[in-house]
Amino acid sequence: MSKDDLPLKLDRIESYHAHVYFDGSEQRETAELLREEIAERFSVLLGRWHDRPVGPHALAMYQVAFLPVEFPRLVPWLMVNRRGLTILIHPNTGEPKSDHLERALWLGAVLEIDTAPLSDHEDSEVEIVPNTRPTVSP
Ligand code: ZN
């Protein structure tokens, strides 16, 4: 798909990722707290910790995957509770390169994205099955 195919239909967005970045032990502790708070409040799939940069990401981080229905609750909550952490939010439309570069939303600083591991021709299905049971209303 090229830019000529815009506008993209909303139903192309299968899910979203929020990548919560941290740099150093103090920010890691903050990221731990945020992770617990997210798990208590939202239907999300929490990815494992990456204490070193992986894939296109410039800093250590973990990923939070969620369905579009959770976007209007989770994203505003992150806006007001991120405690200085940088968070990248991007849609998953099956075109990882465009999703990370052109369609991304940043909370806090804009970090570099390494384009080498990204392409727009990944056809792997993104299936999100939230595995947490929120217990606290946000
Ligand atoms: Zn992602």
Side-chain angles (χ1 to χ4, degrees):
M1 173 165 292
S2 72
K3 288 184 177 60
D4 298 334
D5 299 313
L6 295 177
L8 207 61
K9 298 280 283 181
L10 269 182
D11 63 10
R12 285 284 310 279
I13 301 176
E14 298 160 4
S15 65
Y16 291 91
H17 287 168
H19 292 274
V20 178
Y21 293 97
F22 53 93
D23 193 8
S25 58
E26 196 173 313
Q27 284 204 337
R28 196 187 197 282
E29 280 176 33
T30 305
E32 283 171 23
L33 175 63
L34 201 65
R35 186 180 171 98
E36 285 167 23
E37 292 175 340
I38 292 167
E40 286 171 343
R41 288 165 177 78
F42 301 99
S43 292
V44 298
L45 183 63
L46 289 165
R48 62 179 177 275
W49 290 88
H50 294 286
D51 283 305
R52 290 193 186 79
V54 291
H57 304 285
L59 278 183
M61 60 89 200
Y62 59 81
Q63 176 195 85
V64 182
F66 54 100
L67 294 172
V69 68
E70 201 67 322
F71 186 99
R73 286 168 14 101
L74 176 57
V75 175
W77 188 90
L78 290 172
M79 282 176 165
V80 296
N81 289 293
R82 65 186 175 84
R83 296 175 176 81
L85 297 180
T86 292
I87 302 176
L88 163 66
I89 297 160
H90 69 80
N92 292 308
T93 70
E95 297 173 332
K97 191 172 184 179
S98 297
D99 290 345
H100 284 78
L101 294 177
E102 296 163 21
R103 301 167 182 160
L105 171 67
W106 290 88
L107 305 183
V110 176
L111 303 180
E112 250 180 80
I113 290 289
D114 179 6
T115 57
L118 295 172
S119 93
D120 267 350
H121 306 288
E122 188 179 84
D123 54 8
S124 64
E125 285 285 304
V126 181
E127 191 180 344
I128 306 298
V129 183
N131 67 347
T132 59
R133 298 178 191 281
T135 56
V136 178
S137 171

